[in-house]
Amino acid sequence: MQTVSPAFSCDLKSLIQTNLTAKNARYCHLNGKRVSVLCSYKSESFSFPNGIGSSRADWQSSCAILASKVASAENSSSITGGLADQVAAVNGHSNGSVNLSLVPSDTKNGKPGLVQPLTNTDLSPAPSHGSTLRVAYQGVPGAYSEAAAGKAYPNSEAIPCDQFDVAFQAVELWIADRAVLPVENSLGGSIHRNYDLLLRHRLHIVGEVQIPVHHCLLALPGVRPDCITRVISHPQALAQTEGSLNKLTPRAAIEAFHDTAAAAEYIASNNLHDTAAVASARAAELYGLQILADGIQDDAGNVTRFLMLARDPIIPRTDRPFKTSIVFAAQEHQGTSVLFKVLSAFAFRNISLTKIESRPHHNCPLRVVDDGSVGTKKHFEYTFYVDFEASMAEARAQNALAEVQEYTSFLRVLGSYPMDMTPWSTLPSEDA
């Protein structure tokens, strides 16, 4: 890893002090409202003076381009998120195929349209850092993740991302201050993709928030339920409303879509009168759809748990209930017998576990044991994710992890954070 010279550090400090010119380059106003700014790529060549742009926007944009190329070319590699690593990656880098210019997002009827999600190949420059917290989430406006971001950080600026991985990168590249991403649903179970990304990236869990999921059946105004021949939504949303859909639209074909709110947007943008979507009431409001049926989830106790992620951890405390999340792998040739010893370390200290999840060990997916005359046995190797109710400021938690470390090949604390103790109901919230 390259080191940052003192002279370059001085230049970086001056870049961070964003001037009015940089602000004007990142923002434009229309009728007193802010218009989102996106990156536009052309085939002309360019180069940064001394390996870095002349403004903070150029520097962060070049970081985004490099990170997105690395992610697409080598999915197994991780982005550390450290500022020194970001600067080292850009400093001295020569790129002769990409040109970056800022253009305002699309408008309709003279008014700015909805903010478009960040993509893995188009990460926008960070806006001027003010008092408003920037929170990345996966999906489009109207998604349940947007409601979770609003509950976790009220009055924040929500930044939609088209993929979970892009939300992680947005925080690592200082495009967003926080990310709010789902990890488990009370009916659908764990979201494995985000567990894998927690291990690949170096963000810290700083909180959690739980959102009741309230599904609605949406269609264009004037469309009757008996005219629906197709219902689209996220696979989990379709599974959670299967019974209701069989009653409301028995002849409709069920098709999976990558996002609930995106399904509603798709119907509105393509003027589909024979298609309905399973999404939130807020999605109906945003995209001008009518609600054919409200509260169509088969189980009223449908809750999704979201994690709040940041570049830096918070200081654990003992004056309120805390939860700690860890990930570990067993020592070589020890197998899953280590799991019993790990659980005993917590049970002996009266620490309650709230979650345990196993995922394949990517670096060592298979363990082969030679049994002499019998042959060889093949076992899958796993990494384990564990949540327990204790703060890392407590001696019992520290002692438990010290014992766990004796049985594992690696152990990482993903975060020690306050538990979500807010009451919730099955009624739809204002955000959802």
Side-chain angles (χ1 to χ4, degrees):
M1 182 177 68
Q2 299 179 5
T3 58
V4 182
S5 63
F8 183 76
S9 299
C10 295
D11 293 338
L12 183 60
K13 291 180 180 178
S14 63
L15 290 175
I16 294 178
Q17 298 174 352
T18 312
N19 53 29
L20 293 176
T21 303
K23 289 183 180 179
N24 292 334
R26 288 192 293 271
Y27 289 99
C28 60
H29 288 75
L30 185 63
N31 298 331
K33 296 182 179 180
R34 190 175 66 185
V35 180
S36 62
V37 177
L38 304 178
C39 290
S40 174
Y41 300 101
K42 300 178 182 178
S43 59
E44 303 170 5
S45 62
F46 82 105
S47 61
F48 290 122
N50 299 323
I52 195 165
S54 58
S55 68
R56 181 169 178 262
D58 290 339
W59 174 73
Q60 291 179 321
S61 298
S62 59
C63 287
I65 296 170
L66 292 175
S68 63
K69 286 190 174 183
V70 171
S72 61
E74 186 176 336
N75 291 330
S76 61
S77 61
S78 63
I79 300 176
T80 61
L83 180 58
D85 289 342
Q86 307 289 347
V87 176
V90 177
N91 191 21
H93 177 79
S94 175
N95 189 329
S97 61
V98 182
N99 184 26
L100 184 66
S101 60
L102 298 178
V103 294
S105 61
D106 295 336
T107 59
K108 296 181 180 179
N109 302 323
K111 297 181 179 180
L114 291 172
V115 179
Q116 297 301 311
L118 296 176
T119 66
N120 207 18
T121 57
D122 185 3
L123 288 171
S124 301
S128 177
H129 208 315
S131 59
T132 302
L133 199 68
R134 300 162 299 180
V135 182
Y137 69 94
Q138 187 274 329
V140 299
Y144 294 106
S145 293
E146 184 193 36
K151 179 180 178 181
Y153 300 103
N155 303 318
S156 62
E157 177 186 353
I159 301 178
C161 303
D162 72 332
Q163 300 176 35
F164 292 127
D165 195 19
V166 175
F168 276 85
Q169 292 186 53
V171 179
E172 290 176 328
L173 298 176
W174 297 72
I175 295 169
D177 303 298
R178 301 286 189 275
V180 175
L181 298 171
V183 288
E184 60 179 326
N185 177 265
S186 58
L187 300 181
S190 299
I191 294 138
H192 297 139
R193 174 62 175 165
N194 283 336
Y195 275 101
D196 294 338
L197 290 173
L198 281 172
L199 184 58
R200 179 182 303 178
H201 295 266
R202 288 292 175 178
L203 298 184
H204 301 269
I205 304 175
V206 296
E208 66 174 1
V209 61
Q210 299 180 6
I211 294 291
V213 178
H214 191 85
H215 291 306
C216 302
L217 186 64
L218 312 181
L220 290 173
V223 175
R224 301 190 311 271
D226 57 353
C227 298
I228 300 299
T229 61
R230 183 175 62 155
V231 178
I232 60 176
S233 189
H234 189 276
Q236 283 203 7
L238 295 174
Q240 294 164 9
T241 58
E242 182 180 5
S244 298
L245 292 179
N246 288 336
K247 297 177 182 178
L248 294 170
T249 56
R251 293 176 294 180
I254 306 300
E255 296 184 13
F257 213 77
H258 63 275
D259 184 75
T260 55
E265 181 188 34
Y266 177 76
I267 291 174
S269 60
N270 292 277
N271 198 30
L272 302 177
H273 287 79
D274 62 342
T275 306
V278 176
S280 65
R282 173 168 165 75
E285 178 184 355
L286 286 175
Y287 304 112
L289 302 180
Q290 67 169 334
I291 299 177
L292 297 178
D294 192 7
I296 63 173
Q297 60 273 9
D298 295 334
D299 192 325
N302 187 2
V303 181
T304 299
R305 175 176 171 242
F306 294 79
L307 295 180
M308 301 147 63
L309 306 174
R311 288 180 293 272
D312 300 312
I314 61 173
I315 300 176
R317 298 158 52 180
T318 58
D319 58 346
R320 59 174 298 180
F322 258 63
K323 182 183 291 185
T324 300
S325 298
I326 63 172
V327 57
F328 63 88
Q331 290 179 350
E332 188 176 2
H333 305 309
Q334 295 298 315
T336 54
S337 62
V338 169
L339 186 58
F340 173 78
K341 300 176 182 178
V342 170
L343 298 181
S344 299
F346 292 105
F348 178 74
R349 294 168 177 85
N350 198 28
I351 297 177
S352 299
L353 303 185
T354 60
K355 171 78 174 180
I356 182 167
E357 180 79 22
S358 63
R359 297 290 297 147
H361 197 315
H362 290 172
N363 295 329
C364 184
L366 197 65
R367 176 168 54 94
V368 179
V369 179
D370 192 350
D371 199 13
S373 59
V374 179
T376 58
K377 295 184 295 184
K378 301 176 182 64
H379 303 282
F380 290 104
E381 291 284 17
Y382 296 95
T383 55
F384 296 94
Y385 295 81
V386 172
D387 296 345
F388 59 88
E389 292 183 349
S391 169
M392 283 303 298
E394 300 179 56
R396 59 173 183 157
Q398 298 172 16
N399 294 333
L401 292 190
E403 181 178 344
V404 169
Q405 196 168 16
E406 298 177 3
Y407 312 130
T408 59
S409 60
F410 87 92
L411 170 65
R412 176 178 158 196
V413 177
L414 298 172
S416 188
Y417 48 93
M419 296 174 58
D420 183 8
M421 304 295 291
T422 58
W424 59 274
S425 66
T426 57
L427 297 177
S429 63
E430 294 181 2
D431 293 330

